[in-house]
Amino acid sequence: MGIFDQTKAIVQLKKLQKELQKTESVGSSPEDKVTAKVNGEFQLLEVSIDQSLLNQESKELLEKYIVMACSDAMSAAKKVAAEKMKGIGGLPDLGI
């Protein structure tokens, strides 16, 4: 891969990174009792908890639902990133 190709690939990757920063993915627990939103860099942006869970005495269930929602959101964000990477042909060999 020549220097021109490497430079082109780096420009494409930087553009993709900016696009992913703007991307938001939402995940949820069973019955959508807890939802989580992450960005394309897998940073947690928001957690929403159904009022019915706040009235329960079961702290463990709420914690489990939060983990499930966050995991689901991050999986969704990874899928978005993978799809966008297909658009630029995946990662070329940059010789790094």
Side-chain angles (χ1 to χ4, degrees):
M1 177 182 279
I3 190 76
F4 177 74
D5 292 332
Q6 288 179 350
T7 303
K8 184 178 175 183
I10 290 170
V11 169
Q12 287 179 318
L13 289 172
K14 286 183 179 185
K15 180 180 175 186
L16 175 63
Q17 184 180 22
K18 286 181 181 181
E19 287 179 29
L20 288 174
Q21 288 172 342
K22 297 175 187 175
T23 302
E24 294 181 353
S25 298
V26 177
S28 61
S29 67
E31 301 174 18
D32 296 327
K33 297 284 186 179
V34 176
T35 60
K37 184 187 297 184
V38 297
N39 66 14
E41 295 182 315
F42 309 110
Q43 295 171 326
L44 184 62
L45 302 175
E46 181 180 302
V47 173
S48 176
I49 302 169
D50 188 276
Q51 185 66 37
S52 66
L53 288 175
L54 298 176
N55 296 331
Q56 291 184 359
E57 294 179 13
S58 177
K59 176 181 173 238
E60 293 82 23
L61 179 62
L62 177 57
E63 290 170 341
K64 191 181 292 186
Y65 275 2
I66 290 171
V67 169
M68 293 169 89
C70 291
S71 294
D72 191 41
M74 288 186 195
S75 290
K78 287 178 184 177
K79 287 178 186 175
V80 169
E83 274 301 309
K84 289 188 179 285
M85 291 299 291
K86 285 181 185 177
I88 63 168
L91 282 174
D93 179 12
L94 299 177
I96 299 175

